[in-house]
């Protein structure tokens, strides 16, 4: 089956401006011959508090704005589209099919924007009309509903649509990690669920990596682990929302893919080196940000997260400058052997998952050789010191501990080609690996 449904050729962009708790209409997306272009609304351009929704992509100018070379729609808008899981949920809802039958179905990008929930990541939403804002369900579930989900189902009490999809249809819809939005005590969370198709504890692996990242001094989003309806659930505190007495403020976010002016088809060319160049020129605190990104790159290699693609890095945009968001989606990936490569290039054309690759690139991050070695050593010691406690906190089985340790975490391949004074890192990693 190959079905394509593209009924929407326009969508109006509503945005939460910095400090605001209510959205304003900012402009219009229009699709023509497969290209989606944007123009600001006249009322928005006349606002005294108007900001460009992202530069250099959408300058605050009248008229249809040209697309950057190689893009089929503004990337900052594509950042607000549903991810692979959200797309499959929408396809399932619209076509009534699931599993492999979803793979041949398509919808236009504007349809995905208009069919997805309004509490999306970032500070944009998409509406059919420019004169009235109507938020779309599903409404985020409460933590209590999540925890009591099995009992509620047994009693015939309906769950919110997205929680029901994530908890009970995750294995049949497939295609990505099941997730839902949760709200509790003025905090919003993204909830990620284990799947029946998991061959190891994917959710617990991400919990452990995120907790260890924070203990290593990385600015990582707070996480917690709960159990609901027979599934492990990872709760990630949302950093794009701020609760105020007047309501929720939203923060505009753009991915590294957007900052690098690349689309999904060109994502393989995304590099930490190029991102570092953007940070030096466009971020509000470049020196501290570069060091933070370097530390994240090191930790990804130490924990076996090879899924560090350019949509898994992001920055807040305030209309003038960029600031790195907390780290998220640090998830050790399944690995049968030792050799591995990162999703983003590290230095020139090198993406090998080795600490040596990072040391060669350190100067791009304004980190000298000795400081780079110190960052690696500090992370190694924190991982070794906290490994058992965090695994116990996650109630990780002995089998899974053995599966992760020395394979995803501190894989020997990460320490190959370290020479000179860097060779001490090899001995330190060996000692920590044996001690644990």
């Amino acid at each position: 089956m190959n079905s394509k449904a593209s009924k929407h050729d326009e969508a109006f962009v509503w945005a939460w401006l910095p400090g605001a708790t209510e959205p304003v209409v900012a402009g219009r997306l229009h699709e023509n011959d497969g290209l989606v272009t944007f123009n600001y609304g006249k009322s928005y351009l006349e606002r005294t508090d108007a900001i460009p929704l992202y530069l250099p992509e959408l300058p605050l100018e009248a008229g249809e704005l040209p697309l950057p070379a190689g893009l089929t729609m503004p990337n900052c808008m594509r950042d607000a589209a549903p991810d692979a899981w959200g797309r499959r949920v929408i396809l399932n809802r619209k076509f009534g099919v699931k599993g492999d039958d979803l793979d041949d179905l398509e919808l236009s990008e504007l349809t995905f924007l208009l069919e997805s929930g309004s509490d999306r990541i970032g500070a944009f939403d998409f509406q059919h009309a420019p004169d009235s804002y109507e938020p779309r369900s599903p409404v985020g579930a409460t933590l209590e509903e999540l925890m009591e989900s099995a009992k509620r189902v047994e009693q015939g009490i309906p769950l919110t649509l997205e929680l029901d999809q994530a908890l009970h249809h995750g294995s049949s819809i497939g295609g990505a990690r099941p997730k839902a939005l949760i709200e509790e005590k003025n905090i919003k969370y993204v909830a990620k669920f284990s799947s029946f198709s998991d061959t190891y504890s994917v959710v617990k692996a991400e919990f452990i990596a995120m907790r260890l990242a924070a203990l290593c001094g990385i600015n990582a989003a707070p996480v917690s682990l709960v159990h609901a309806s027979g599934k492990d659930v990872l709760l990630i505190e949302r950093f794009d929302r701020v609760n105020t007495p007047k309501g929720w403020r939203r923060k505009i976010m753009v991915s590294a893919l957007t900052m690098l002016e690349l689309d999904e088809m060109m994502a393989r060319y995304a590099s930490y080196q190029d991102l570092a160049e953007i940070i030096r020129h466009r971020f509000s605190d470049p020196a501290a940000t570069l060091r933070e990104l370097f530390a994240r790159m090191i930790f990804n290699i130490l924990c076996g997260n090879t899924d560090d693609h350019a949509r898994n890095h992001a920055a807040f945009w305030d209309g003038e400058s960029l600031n790195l968001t907390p780290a998220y989606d640090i998830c050790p990936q399944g690995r049968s052997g030792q050799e591995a490569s990162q999703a983003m290039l590290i230095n020139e054309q090198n993406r090998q998952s080795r600490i040596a690759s990072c040391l060669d690139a350190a100067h791009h991050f304004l980190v000298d050789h000795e400081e780079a070695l110190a960052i690696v050593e500090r992370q190694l010691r924190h991982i070794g010191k906290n490994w058992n406690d965090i695994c116990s906190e996650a109630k990780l089985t002995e089998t899974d501990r053995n599966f992760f340790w020395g394979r995803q975490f501190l894989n020997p391949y990460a320490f190959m080609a370290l020479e000179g004074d860097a060779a001490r890192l090899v001995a330190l990693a060996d000692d920590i690996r044996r001690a644990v």
Side-chain angles (χ1 to χ4, degrees), residues 67-358:
L67 289 166
L71 298 186
T72 58
M73 73 176 295
N75 239 352
C76 63
M77 298 297 162
R78 176 63 182 81
D79 282 338
D83 64 5
W85 165 255
R87 287 168 184 255
R88 293 176 75 84
V89 169
I90 291 169
L91 288 169
N92 168 254
R93 187 170 69 236
K94 290 190 74 67
F95 293 103
V97 298
K98 47 193 174 183
D100 292 340
D101 290 337
L102 289 168
D103 294 337
D104 295 324
L105 298 174
E106 297 177 44
L107 291 172
S108 71
E109 203 62 47
L110 290 187
T111 300
F112 278 123
L113 292 176
L114 289 165
E115 292 286 338
S116 48
S118 291
D119 198 14
R120 68 186 74 239
I121 298 300
F124 301 149
D125 194 21
F126 306 90
Q127 300 278 307
H128 292 280
D131 50 3
S132 62
Y133 179 75
E134 299 179 4
R136 289 182 299 281
S137 295
V139 177
T142 65
L143 187 57
E144 179 184 9
E145 182 182 7
L146 170 65
M147 299 305 296
E148 296 187 356
S149 55
K151 185 193 301 183
R152 285 170 175 257
V153 171
E154 289 172 359
Q155 295 174 345
I157 302 173
L159 302 173
T160 60
L161 175 62
E162 67 168 9
L163 186 54
D164 181 62
Q165 290 272 18
L167 273 167
H168 304 121
H169 304 287
S171 58
S172 58
I173 293 178
R177 179 64 35 197
K179 58 177 68 70
L181 300 178
I182 306 293
E183 183 175 337
E184 185 73 11
K185 295 180 180 178
N186 296 324
I187 300 176
K188 289 183 180 257
Y189 302 91
V190 174
K192 291 186 178 181
F193 299 83
S194 59
S195 173
F196 293 119
S197 60
D198 289 344
T199 57
Y200 63 94
S201 299
V202 178
V203 165
K204 289 185 176 181
E206 184 170 347
F207 169 80
I208 292 167
M210 290 289 288
R211 291 279 286 112
L212 287 173
L215 290 168
C216 286
I218 290 169
N219 178 22
V223 295
S224 56
L225 198 62
V226 297
H227 201 70
S229 286
K231 291 189 174 186
D232 294 316
V233 184
L234 177 68
L235 298 178
I236 307 106
E237 189 172 326
R238 292 183 64 172
F239 43 75
D240 62 334
R241 296 291 184 269
V242 178
N243 188 258
T244 74
K246 294 184 178 180
W248 288 99
R249 286 170 40 209
R250 304 190 181 194
K251 294 185 175 184
I252 298 176
M253 282 173 51
V254 291
S255 70
L257 202 62
T258 293
M259 290 180 265
L260 293 166
E261 299 184 19
L262 299 171
D263 66 5
E264 263 71 19
M265 299 300 293
M266 303 292 286
R268 65 186 181 278
Y269 298 113
S271 77
Y272 283 102
Q273 180 180 341
D274 290 342
L275 182 55
E277 181 73 15
I278 292 171
I279 289 171
R280 283 199 295 274
H281 293 96
R282 302 195 57 210
F283 276 62
S284 59
D285 190 356
T289 304
L290 286 167
R291 191 180 186 282
E292 170 74 12
L293 183 61
F294 183 79
R296 294 183 189 188
M297 185 171 67
I298 293 288
F299 187 80
N300 281 333
I301 290 174
L302 294 183
C303 78
N305 175 33
T306 54
D307 192 36
D308 57 338
H309 59 79
R311 286 212 190 274
N312 279 346
H313 301 275
F316 298 121
W317 168 252
D318 63 6
E320 295 181 355
S321 61
L322 294 158
N323 289 277
L324 200 64
T325 71
Y328 58 95
D329 282 359
I330 304 177
C331 186
Q333 301 297 300
R335 191 164 172 173
S336 56
Q338 290 195 1
E339 187 171 344
S341 58
Q342 298 304 116
M344 281 178 57
L345 294 162
I346 296 173
N347 188 38
E348 303 299 340
Q349 296 304 306
N350 178 15
R351 64 174 81 242
Q352 292 178 318
S353 304
R354 293 179 175 178
I355 297 301
S357 304
C358 301

